């Protein structure tokens, strides 16, 4: 039996003959209540009474109100996502998890109604298997976010050792770890931050698409923030996720901007599709790419911690929407740009699956999300 209550993130207060629900602009609502019946109804929505009991009590005190009107009022509150079902209990989470992820649950409740469970969303997070490529500046902050959200199953790959110049943005590490492998230090730090995370690590430099496939084959989703070798890594990752049908979120820092995108093989176009689309719209792009290949360009880092944090947050929020469905990823099939100077986020290009794409057509893909 459903036992509705107002969500813990939704304040309800009374001003004269008005009921104010919520406090956020665009979310808060005001209801006129000339005879006090709505205030009485709200007092009964406390997580202890079933809907049937609430209807009975309101009609008993206000005989002129019908059961249909009470039911309609509750449904209206539910449609505004003010209510949750207090009778719902988690399937897997115990008291420890409920307390550790309490704020997560409050956030997830913002996207649920009486028919949904915020616990299911958190449990989905806890059970999802992620392959992370890169634990440098962007990757280390993403890893922290993932661990904080409660992603308990992560396999991370990197090959670099820590250098003094890393510490302006790589917050996972300490100077005492200079010359040690980032991937090993990441495992030690995350195990202390959230001991529930099963973080498997791979110390390896990616040299081909097969390396990527070996790393991601047991995962459900892939996050790529590896940036070396600069001109090849995205193609190798793209080939691997398309062949294995793994949804991908990827991005990187470009001086004063960050860029990110996401793809679902079989549903969206891939990175190669994006190239075809961009080249078709601007013939100069192909010449630029060919010239960059000839000079073997390796990007020098100009990332600072607050900018990396903004991009990491945007990417993890995109990833969270992809995994849980609480929001549609803004970057799906789009190249999004985050301007670190203006804080604006916008699409700079978008693409569909291309019929002539050699990568998409190289294998039959079944999308996993």
């Amino acid at each position: 039996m459903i036992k509705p209550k107002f969500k813990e993130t939704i304040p309800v207060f009374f001003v004269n003959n008005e009921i104010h629900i919520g406090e956020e602009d665009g979310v808060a609502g005001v209801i006129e209540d000339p005879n006090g019946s709505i205030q009485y109804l709200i007092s009964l929505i406390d997580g202890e009474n079933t809907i049937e009991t609430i209807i009975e009590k309101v009609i008993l005190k206000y005989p002129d109100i019908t059961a249909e009107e009470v039911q309609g009022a509750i449904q209206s509150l539910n449609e505004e996502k003010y209510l949750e079902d207090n009778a719902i209990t988690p399937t897997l989470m115990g008291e420890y998890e409920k307390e550790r992820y309490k704020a997560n649950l409050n956030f997830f409740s913002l996207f649920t109604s009486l028919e949904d469970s915020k616990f299911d969303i958190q449990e989905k997070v806890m059970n999802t298997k992620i392959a992370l490529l890169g634990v440098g500046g962007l990757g280390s902050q993403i890893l922290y976010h993932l661990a904080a959200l409660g992603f308990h199953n992560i396999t991370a790959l990197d090959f670099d050792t820590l250098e003094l110049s890393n510490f302006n943005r790589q917050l996972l590490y300490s100077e005492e770890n200079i010359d040690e492998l980032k991937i090993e230090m990441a495992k030690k730090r995350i195990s202390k931050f959230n001991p529930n995370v099963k973080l498997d690590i791979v110390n390896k430099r990616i040299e081909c698409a097969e390396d990527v496939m070996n790393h991601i084959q047991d995962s459900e989703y892939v996050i790529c923030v590896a940036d070396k070798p600069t001109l090849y890594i995205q193609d190798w990752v793209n080939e691997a996720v398309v062949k294995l049908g793994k949804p991908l979120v990827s991005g990187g820092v470009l001086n004063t901007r960050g860029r990110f995108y996401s793809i679902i093989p079989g549903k969206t176009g891939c990175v190669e599709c994006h190239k075809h689309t961009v080249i078709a719209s601007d013939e100069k792009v192909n010449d630029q790419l060919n010239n960059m290949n000839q000079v073997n360009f390796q990007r020098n880092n100009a990332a600072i911690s607050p900018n990396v944090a903004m991009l990491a947050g945007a990417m993890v929020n995109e990833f969270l929407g992809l995994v849980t469905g609480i929001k549609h990823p803004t970057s799906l099939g789009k190249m999004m740009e985050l301007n670190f100077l203006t804080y604006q986020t916008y699409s700079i290009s978008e693409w569909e699956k291309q019929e002539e794409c050699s990568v998409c057509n190289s294998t039959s893909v079944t999308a996993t999300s």
Side-chain angles (χ1 to χ4, degrees), residues 36-270:
S37 61
I38 299 178
Q39 182 172 346
Y40 181 62
L41 166 65
I42 286 174
S43 72
L44 298 174
I45 302 176
D46 59 1
E48 299 297 325
N49 296 300
T50 65
I51 293 177
E52 293 74 13
T53 301
I54 293 170
I55 292 172
E56 290 175 3
K57 290 184 176 182
V58 171
I59 293 176
L60 182 63
K61 187 168 183 176
Y62 296 90
D64 292 338
I65 297 177
T66 67
E68 289 74 19
E69 288 174 325
V70 179
Q71 181 76 50
I74 295 173
Q75 183 58 33
S76 295
L77 294 171
N78 185 40
E79 289 173 356
E80 294 294 332
K81 297 193 183 301
Y82 293 147
L83 305 180
E84 62 182 345
D85 182 6
N86 197 43
I88 293 177
T89 57
T91 303
L92 301 175
M93 298 173 64
E95 291 303 316
Y96 167 86
E97 289 82 9
K98 287 169 64 178
E99 183 63 25
R100 172 153 194 136
Y101 302 124
K102 183 177 181 179
N104 287 3
L105 293 169
N106 286 338
F107 177 75
F108 294 146
S109 77
L110 301 175
F111 303 91
T112 64
S113 59
L114 285 172
E115 297 77 22
D116 309 312
S117 169
K118 61 187 177 183
F119 301 113
D120 286 351
I121 300 175
Q122 182 65 51
E123 289 176 355
K124 171 69 173 175
V125 167
M126 291 161 58
N127 290 327
T128 295
K129 296 179 180 179
I130 304 169
L132 174 63
L133 301 170
V135 291
L138 187 54
S140 59
Q141 294 202 30
I142 283 176
L143 182 57
Y144 246 145
H145 288 319
L146 294 174
L149 283 167
F151 284 97
H152 288 177
N153 300 283
I154 306 171
T155 302
L157 178 149
D158 204 298
F159 69 93
D160 258 345
T161 56
L162 284 161
E163 302 172 0
L164 183 61
S165 62
N166 295 150
F167 297 109
N168 80 310
R169 65 198 180 280
Q170 298 189 21
L171 310 182
L172 196 62
Y173 312 116
S174 301
E175 284 193 20
E176 65 185 16
N177 304 129
I178 287 177
D179 293 331
E180 296 186 53
L181 288 170
K182 293 179 184 178
I183 200 72
E184 292 183 355
M185 292 303 101
K187 185 175 180 65
K188 289 181 179 179
R189 283 297 181 88
I190 293 299
S191 67
K192 291 181 179 179
F193 173 66
N194 188 345
N196 307 287
V197 176
K198 180 178 180 292
L199 177 60
D200 293 326
I201 58 173
V202 177
N203 173 34
K204 182 174 177 58
R205 184 186 186 105
I206 296 173
E207 297 179 339
C208 60
E210 187 175 356
D211 288 342
V212 181
M213 284 189 277
N214 289 337
H215 180 66
I216 71 173
Q217 60 185 350
D218 295 326
S219 68
E220 299 170 82
Y221 296 86
V222 179
I223 300 176
C224 177
V225 286
D227 57 3
K228 294 178 182 178
T230 304
L231 298 178
Y232 303 103
I233 186 68
Q234 291 298 323
D235 289 337
W236 293 338
V237 172
N238 181 60
E239 180 182 340
V241 299
V242 171
K243 285 186 176 180
L244 297 178
K246 310 289 186 180
L248 167 72
V249 176
S250 184
V253 175
L254 292 169
N255 298 331
T256 61
R257 298 159 295 156
R259 288 184 181 175
F260 60 98
Y261 64 89
S262 57
I263 62 174
I264 300 177
K267 288 188 177 181
T268 69
C270 70

